[in-house]
Structures are given as C-alpha cells and as structure tokens.
Amino acid sequence: MKNLIDTIARIINPPLVRWPLLIAFLLALPWIILLIPIYGANNFTYSQLNTWLILSVVALGLNLLTGLTGMISLGHSAIYAIGAFGAGYFVSKAQFPFIGAVIMAAILGGLVGLILGLPALRLSGPYLAVATFAFAIAVPQLLSSSKEVGELFADPNDITTKIGVFRVPKQVFPGFELKNDLGRYYLFLLITAIMVVLAIGVWRSRTGRAFRSIRDSETAAQAMGINIARYKLLAFVISGMYAGVAGAMLTAQLGQLEATDLQFSGVESVLFLTAIILGGLGSIPGSIIGAALLTVLPNAINELNARIKDIFGSKIENFESVFYGLIIILCIYFLPNGLAGAFKNLVARWRGERSSEKLADSALAAEQADLESSLPISQEMVEDASK
C-alpha cells in the first residue's frame, strides 16, 4: 500500500499534472457522480452539485475569518441573504448582466461584513458569536417586513410579490440552456474556481500571515507592528464578499427570493460553521470537503429521523440541529483539524512518515541522551582538575 501511494503521489504531484487532472475531474463530475447508484441523470443531482459549489464559496470566506483569524461569526446567513437580494435586484430590476450582479453582491457583502466586523474590535469568542448571531436573526425579519424592499421588487404582473416572493431570472452557462441545472453547474464552477484562486492568494499573502498571527496571539501580533483593528475589519470584509457572491449564486439557482426562506435563517449560519469545522479550520480543501458533506447530510439526517420514527413511533424534534451540534462537539474532540487534516495524517502514516508529536518526542529524547552522555565527561574533567 505504501509503495502504491508513493507512486501515485510522485505521478500527480507536479503542478502541470495535478491541476489539469483536477480540472478534468471537475468538468466530468456531473457524469462521474452518475456512477453512484443512488444518483441519476436528473436535475436533482445537478442541483445538489450546484448547492455544493454555493456552500463552498461561503465556507471559503468563513474559513478565512474563523480558520485564519480566529474570529467566530454566526451572522454570515444575513450577508448571504443581502447578497442574494442585492444580486436579484441588479439582475431583475437594474438589468445588469449576471456577472455584474455578482460583483455588486460582492461589494454589498463586503460593506455588510464591515458593519458586522465592528463589534469584533471590542468583542471576542462567544460574545462576538452571540452579537453576530443576533444580526443573522434580525436581517431576514427586516427584509420580510420592509416596505422599501417590497417596493423595490414589486411587479404588478406577478401576484407573488404581494406575499414577499420575488421572481428573479435563473442563469445558466451559455450552451447548456436545455439542461438548466447542468448549465448552472458550469457557471458556478467558474465562479467557485475564481474564488478559490483568490482565497489561495490571501492564504499565502502577507495579509494571510497577519491573520494567522492575530489568531495565534493578538499581543504578539501587535508587538510586531500589525494593526489589529485594521486586519480584523479586513477579514470581515473579505469574508463578507465571499458570502455576498454565494448569495448571488443562490439567486441564480432558485430563481426567486423569499426573506423567510430557511436558507436565510440564523440556523444556516450554524451550518456554515459546521461545514468548516467538519472539513478543517484554516484549510481551503477542508472548506470544499465540509461543503460537500453539508450538501448530502440533510437527506441522510431526514432518513435517519424517519427510521427513528419507524422504530420508536415518533420523530425527534429539532433533530437536525441536535445532529449538527453533536457533529461539532465530536469533531472538536476527535478531529480538531477536520476531515482534511485527518486524511492528511492518514496518508502520511501510509507513506511511513511520523507525526510531528513523534518527531518532537524523539528530538527531546535525543537531547536528554546527549545531556546524560555529557555528564560523566564533565565529572571526569572536574576530578582531573582537582588532582
């Protein structure tokens, strides 16, 4: 097994091999996934792929904030909603092209992220989480009850606008109009690829190093001359831009906006946090993995709750929230680096590499052995000197 993994790693490790293989895999994924027995060539399958890409963009932005900077936000569902409504307005009313609406949604998300980040200058830890969660609860209520929002989207030819449901043209990638969800997959894949490249740039940049130093120790970061307030706000702005873009993608997928939709509720923020904890904090691949699991878990949870009803005669109330809470607790305890970190460690073990803990222990043992071997020599030197 070790030799096989080493051979595969040597083959795919060069960038000129790895990246084309990844691109080819993602382009062929709508057909590869059909090989799984429970999936078929239907719009639901492609819709699941689109949901995965949308959640991946949100998770990337939130991981940049929580994984890199160490600040917990439970208000990203509000930015998600504002990005969706903003993009919906620019597409349906201002007649912007979709890419233009995505850019405007990113700007709106960044501005809201800036506002949401102001409490981070004085709050941290659970206090910041509670403050941002209050924002996530308030925004959908404001959007659903605001007369100004209703007037912006009002359409005399569409009766649904009177009950707060606003139609928005769905978007597809050119050339795939006959298979709408498949067309949206390639459109979203392009947007997600751009956001991943930007995330890699931030992760490896001076800004990313400043974020990590703030996460590790604000005192040490300040001593090194890092402007804590500036970088905290910048982290919220960048993360908000990602959530805004994801909201625009959701608008293109659903074709309608409704502020009371569960996808804009405060619970969605908890799911976003679950995705990055499950996938791996501070990891770009972990964000993608966590989003994928978050896409397939709801169906599995509903099925599990239905089985519980068959066995015990009744379902468990709020079972989904309980399940996600349990996942967070178990991941923090057993998988602190998420599934991405666990997979990395597993591959390292298969390849015969020792973990950092073992290396540290061996280094400490070597130092102790050197110290013990030097003691007799020092004693002999003292005795010779005394003679």
Side-chain angles (χ1 to χ4, degrees):
M1 178 65 72
K2 174 187 171 183
N3 294 332
L4 176 61
I5 293 175
D6 287 339
T7 302
I8 295 173
R10 282 196 300 270
I11 292 173
I12 68 173
N13 191 50
L16 293 178
V17 176
R18 182 171 66 245
W19 289 109
L21 281 177
L22 179 60
I23 293 170
F25 171 77
L26 292 173
L27 291 176
L29 185 57
W31 288 273
I32 294 174
I33 200 172
L34 301 183
L35 299 176
I36 302 175
I38 61 173
Y39 289 100
N42 52 55
N43 281 338
F44 175 75
T45 299
Y46 303 137
S47 176
Q48 289 286 91
L49 289 175
N50 295 341
T51 302
W52 166 53
L53 293 176
I54 294 169
L55 293 177
S56 295
V57 173
V58 182
L60 281 169
L62 185 58
N63 217 341
L64 185 147
L65 180 68
T66 303
L68 276 194
T69 319
M71 294 183 291
I72 301 175
S73 170
L74 292 177
H76 269 54
S77 62
I79 309 177
Y80 190 51
I82 291 172
F85 272 78
Y89 171 78
F90 285 109
V91 167
S92 61
K93 300 300 180 181
Q95 302 299 315
F96 274 45
F98 178 64
I99 296 301
V102 170
I103 294 172
M104 295 305 297
I107 294 172
L108 278 174
L111 291 173
V112 178
L114 177 64
I115 297 170
L116 191 62
L118 292 175
L121 302 181
R122 293 187 174 274
L123 301 175
S124 61
Y127 301 102
L128 178 61
V130 170
T132 53
F133 189 64
F135 186 75
I137 294 175
V139 166
Q141 297 296 326
L142 291 174
L143 289 175
S144 61
S145 61
S146 173
K147 293 181 179 180
E148 289 77 11
V149 173
E151 291 173 358
L152 279 177
F153 290 91
D155 185 353
N157 298 321
D158 190 353
I159 194 173
T160 60
T161 59
K162 295 182 179 180
I163 58 174
V165 179
F166 311 118
R167 304 293 182 185
V168 179
K170 290 186 176 184
Q171 307 294 321
V172 295
F173 198 84
F176 289 87
E177 285 81 0
L178 295 179
K179 296 181 178 180
N180 291 334
D181 285 307
L182 180 60
R184 277 183 283 278
Y185 169 76
Y186 287 107
L187 177 63
F188 293 170
L189 182 61
L190 176 62
I191 296 172
T192 305
I194 294 171
M195 303 309 289
V196 168
V197 170
L198 293 176
I200 293 173
V202 172
W203 247 261
R204 296 179 178 179
S205 67
R206 181 181 178 183
T207 300
R209 291 192 293 272
F211 289 160
R212 282 188 287 271
S213 65
I214 292 173
R215 176 196 63 193
D216 296 337
S217 173
E218 288 190 18
T219 304
Q222 194 168 16
M224 290 188 293
I226 295 174
N227 189 325
I228 303 296
R230 175 189 171 190
Y231 279 103
K232 279 187 173 182
L233 289 177
L234 181 60
F236 265 98
V237 168
I238 297 174
S239 185
M241 292 176 71
Y242 273 78
V245 170
M249 295 167 67
L250 180 69
T251 298
Q253 171 69 14
L254 296 180
Q256 67 179 36
L257 294 168
E258 186 176 1
T260 56
D261 195 314
L262 290 177
Q263 296 189 82
F264 299 138
S265 67
V267 176
E268 197 74 7
S269 291
V270 179
L271 301 187
F272 296 156
L273 186 62
T274 304
I276 63 173
I277 291 175
L278 184 59
L281 289 172
S283 168
I284 292 177
S287 303
I288 309 299
I289 293 170
L293 290 171
L294 200 64
T295 302
V296 300
L297 275 178
N299 293 329
I301 292 171
N302 291 334
E303 182 67 24
L304 179 60
N305 206 7
R307 294 290 179 88
I308 291 174
K309 182 181 179 181
D310 293 338
I311 296 172
F312 298 101
S314 64
K315 291 184 178 181
I316 299 176
E317 294 295 330
N318 300 319
F319 181 68
E320 187 173 357
S321 300
V322 173
F323 190 86
Y324 286 127
L326 185 62
I327 286 178
I328 292 176
I329 294 171
L330 293 176
C331 280
I332 291 174
Y333 189 78
F334 293 105
L335 296 173
N337 296 321
L339 291 175
F343 179 76
K344 208 172 178 181
N345 292 336
L346 183 62
V347 171
R349 288 184 181 181
W350 279 348
R351 297 182 65 183
E353 297 175 3
R354 291 181 297 179
S355 64
S356 59
E357 290 84 0
K358 290 183 179 179
L359 289 175
D361 292 342
S362 62
L364 181 59
E367 286 183 12
Q368 291 176 348
D370 291 341
L371 181 61
E372 290 173 359
S373 63
S374 66
L375 287 177
I377 297 175
S378 300
Q379 185 65 30
E380 291 175 3
M381 293 175 63
V382 171
E383 291 176 357
D384 292 340
S386 63
K387 292 178 181 179

